Amino acid sequence: MVYSGINLENVKISNRSAILKLLNDCGAMSRKDIAQRLGLTPATVTQISMKLLAAGILCEKGELEEEKRAGRRKVLIDINYTYRYVLSICIEAARTYIAISDLRGKSVGIREFSTDGTREPEKFLKQIAAESKAFMWETGIVKESVLGVGVSVPGPVDREQGISSHAFRIWNEPVHIGEYLQKSLELPVIVENNIKAFAEGELIYGNGKNQENLLFIKWGPGVGAALIVNGQIYQRIVEIGHYIVEKDGKPCRCGRKGCLETKVATHAVAERIRETCTRETMPRLWKRVNGDVGRIEARNIAQWFSMEDEGFRREMDDIIDEIARAVVNAGTMSIRTAWSSTARCSSCRA
Ligand SMILES: [Zn+2]
């Protein structure tokens, strides 16, 4: 976002966000306590909460007797978590997931199907729209009760325009996801990079409730990280998956060689286990696949962890150690970068 100076509308929006985030993190609270916690005037909190109550986004919740002044009660306000539902679409290289959840992040249902990047993007988006409509119909959720649609894709996105610029391993060209889905679903659509979207989820529903600074790691077919500083997601993705960790290593999808991803992404892990699994080194895993290592695939990685196979554990420890080292480096570098960016922002742009 471009900083455009102090603007009353921006201040209102940011105060509103702060109130909603506080209620989401700490639960129901009185207007007076909200004002104290956020350093806002009681009048500001009253004004904002009045509008949100009228819109049905907030609700008044019970009363709490103030200890010292008997007889005087304070009304608590909270987020109305049943206000609307949210439709989430997660497009990943192998599978696409559609989920409907309430504002607490509680899932009403989820469905998934194969991602077909070989088809024309429009045709695949048409399938996504049709699946979404069918899913809403099945779960009995009407369009009017849906707040909006959030779409996550790998790779860079133009969030303002709702365009996926280059969804790695899915599409090589820019795809106007937002425009297409907005038209067919008749709902507001936000398109976001997958790692940022997952980090946002962690911020709202996970560890971000009590931690202001986080380094979020995604470990799967791709490896990436997002940095959260002072409760805000740092605008650039931490490309941890493309740190070079091996001289002249295996070729990576980014065009370089020996990136972390070529060693620790799930398909690379599967390959490594296939190469090292023998009757002697990993007896239990070997027995499970009847000596056919071809059956060890990235998609069944979760099953292997439940097996008490020493050799497999050792190999995984090695892989996790490799990720941990990259994470420490990412932490060191990104905290410095974020720090210098904050300094620049407050001193020159203001
Ligand atoms: Zn790479």
Side-chain angles (χ1 to χ4, degrees), residues 241-243 252-262:
H242 301 283
Y243 286 5
C252 180
R253 63 188 164 113
C254 73
R256 293 190 296 208
K257 279 181 176 176
C259 293
L260 180 70
E261 219 175 82
T262 65

mmCIF file of all heavy atoms in Angstrom, residues 241-243 252-262, ligand 1:
data_model
loop_
_atom_site.group_PDB
_atom_site.id
_atom_site.type_symbol
_atom_site.label_atom_id
_atom_site.label_comp_id
_atom_site.label_asym_id
_atom_site.label_seq_id
_atom_site.Cartn_x
_atom_site.Cartn_y
_atom_site.Cartn_z
ATOM 1 N N GLY A 241 12.791 -20.941 0.376
ATOM 2 C CA GLY A 241 12.926 -22.144 -0.453
ATOM 3 C C GLY A 241 14.010 -22.018 -1.501
ATOM 4 O O GLY A 241 14.485 -23.020 -2.046
ATOM 5 N N HIS A 242 14.390 -20.769 -1.813
ATOM 6 C CA HIS A 242 15.384 -20.584 -2.867
ATOM 7 C C HIS A 242 16.721 -20.078 -2.332
ATOM 8 O O HIS A 242 17.516 -19.494 -3.076
ATOM 9 C CB HIS A 242 14.800 -19.687 -3.973
ATOM 10 C CG HIS A 242 13.571 -20.310 -4.543
ATOM 11 N ND1 HIS A 242 13.625 -21.351 -5.434
ATOM 12 C CD2 HIS A 242 12.256 -20.113 -4.258
ATOM 13 C CE1 HIS A 242 12.387 -21.747 -5.706
ATOM 14 N NE2 HIS A 242 11.547 -21.012 -4.996
ATOM 15 N N TYR A 243 16.967 -20.299 -1.059
ATOM 16 C CA TYR A 243 18.311 -20.082 -0.519
ATOM 17 C C TYR A 243 19.169 -21.210 -1.068
ATOM 18 O O TYR A 243 18.766 -22.375 -1.016
ATOM 19 C CB TYR A 243 18.310 -20.190 1.012
ATOM 20 C CG TYR A 243 17.702 -19.034 1.753
ATOM 21 C CD1 TYR A 243 17.076 -17.986 1.079
ATOM 22 C CD2 TYR A 243 17.755 -18.985 3.136
ATOM 23 C CE1 TYR A 243 16.517 -16.938 1.777
ATOM 24 C CE2 TYR A 243 17.197 -17.927 3.833
ATOM 25 C CZ TYR A 243 16.572 -16.908 3.147
ATOM 26 O OH TYR A 243 16.013 -15.869 3.830
ATOM 27 N N CYS A 252 16.660 -26.343 -9.769
ATOM 28 C CA CYS A 252 15.428 -25.901 -9.116
ATOM 29 C C CYS A 252 14.505 -25.278 -10.157
ATOM 30 O O CYS A 252 14.956 -24.822 -11.204
ATOM 31 C CB CYS A 252 15.787 -24.876 -8.037
ATOM 32 S SG CYS A 252 14.377 -24.234 -7.150
ATOM 33 N N ARG A 253 13.212 -25.199 -9.836
ATOM 34 C CA ARG A 253 12.241 -24.605 -10.771
ATOM 35 C C ARG A 253 12.528 -23.133 -11.032
ATOM 36 O O ARG A 253 12.057 -22.550 -11.992
ATOM 37 C CB ARG A 253 10.814 -24.796 -10.262
ATOM 38 C CG ARG A 253 10.549 -24.093 -8.947
ATOM 39 C CD ARG A 253 9.200 -24.465 -8.397
ATOM 40 N NE ARG A 253 9.097 -24.098 -6.996
ATOM 41 C CZ ARG A 253 8.285 -23.148 -6.522
ATOM 42 N NH1 ARG A 253 7.504 -22.484 -7.327
ATOM 43 N NH2 ARG A 253 8.250 -22.888 -5.236
ATOM 44 N N CYS A 254 13.311 -22.494 -10.131
ATOM 45 C CA CYS A 254 13.606 -21.073 -10.307
ATOM 46 C C CYS A 254 14.738 -20.856 -11.314
ATOM 47 O O CYS A 254 15.049 -19.734 -11.672
ATOM 48 C CB CYS A 254 13.959 -20.437 -8.975
ATOM 49 S SG CYS A 254 15.579 -20.915 -8.359
ATOM 50 N N GLY A 255 15.363 -21.943 -11.762
ATOM 51 C CA GLY A 255 16.422 -21.827 -12.756
ATOM 52 C C GLY A 255 17.813 -21.979 -12.166
ATOM 53 O O GLY A 255 18.777 -22.155 -12.898
ATOM 54 N N ARG A 256 17.920 -21.901 -10.826
ATOM 55 C CA ARG A 256 19.233 -22.061 -10.206
ATOM 56 C C ARG A 256 19.421 -23.504 -9.742
ATOM 57 O O ARG A 256 18.554 -24.347 -9.947
ATOM 58 C CB ARG A 256 19.379 -21.086 -9.043
ATOM 59 C CG ARG A 256 19.404 -19.648 -9.526
ATOM 60 C CD ARG A 256 19.783 -18.708 -8.420
ATOM 61 N NE ARG A 256 18.806 -18.696 -7.353
ATOM 62 C CZ ARG A 256 18.598 -17.647 -6.563
ATOM 63 N NH1 ARG A 256 19.278 -16.542 -6.760
ATOM 64 N NH2 ARG A 256 17.709 -17.688 -5.594
ATOM 65 N N LYS A 257 20.559 -23.742 -9.122
ATOM 66 C CA LYS A 257 20.834 -25.108 -8.662
ATOM 67 C C LYS A 257 21.066 -25.121 -7.155
ATOM 68 O O LYS A 257 21.634 -24.183 -6.610
ATOM 69 C CB LYS A 257 22.104 -25.630 -9.335
ATOM 70 C CG LYS A 257 21.890 -26.140 -10.744
ATOM 71 C CD LYS A 257 23.218 -26.647 -11.289
ATOM 72 C CE LYS A 257 23.040 -27.253 -12.662
ATOM 73 N NZ LYS A 257 24.348 -27.650 -13.211
ATOM 74 N N GLY A 258 20.651 -26.212 -6.522
ATOM 75 C CA GLY A 258 20.970 -26.418 -5.106
ATOM 76 C C GLY A 258 20.161 -25.595 -4.114
ATOM 77 O O GLY A 258 20.596 -25.379 -2.987
ATOM 78 N N CYS A 259 18.973 -25.114 -4.538
ATOM 79 C CA CYS A 259 18.121 -24.366 -3.599
ATOM 80 C C CYS A 259 17.617 -25.304 -2.502
ATOM 81 O O CYS A 259 17.514 -26.507 -2.700
ATOM 82 C CB CYS A 259 16.910 -23.794 -4.315
ATOM 83 S SG CYS A 259 17.291 -22.535 -5.502
ATOM 84 N N LEU A 260 17.247 -24.719 -1.367
ATOM 85 C CA LEU A 260 16.712 -25.501 -0.249
ATOM 86 C C LEU A 260 15.543 -26.380 -0.707
ATOM 87 O O LEU A 260 15.439 -27.541 -0.311
ATOM 88 C CB LEU A 260 16.251 -24.557 0.875
ATOM 89 C CG LEU A 260 15.666 -25.236 2.114
ATOM 90 C CD1 LEU A 260 16.738 -25.976 2.895
ATOM 91 C CD2 LEU A 260 14.971 -24.221 3.021
ATOM 92 N N GLU A 261 14.689 -25.812 -1.566
ATOM 93 C CA GLU A 261 13.521 -26.545 -2.036
ATOM 94 C C GLU A 261 13.885 -27.867 -2.723
ATOM 95 O O GLU A 261 13.162 -28.846 -2.611
ATOM 96 C CB GLU A 261 12.734 -25.657 -3.001
ATOM 97 C CG GLU A 261 11.252 -25.792 -2.831
ATOM 98 C CD GLU A 261 10.471 -24.830 -3.698
ATOM 99 O OE1 GLU A 261 10.259 -25.121 -4.886
ATOM 100 O OE2 GLU A 261 10.077 -23.783 -3.180
ATOM 101 N N THR A 262 15.035 -27.900 -3.427
ATOM 102 C CA THR A 262 15.429 -29.131 -4.126
ATOM 103 C C THR A 262 15.812 -30.226 -3.134
ATOM 104 O O THR A 262 15.974 -31.376 -3.499
ATOM 105 C CB THR A 262 16.618 -28.889 -5.087
ATOM 106 O OG1 THR A 262 17.769 -28.527 -4.286
ATOM 107 C CG2 THR A 262 16.337 -27.793 -6.083
HETATM 108 ZN ZN ZN B 1 15.198 -22.198 -6.493
#
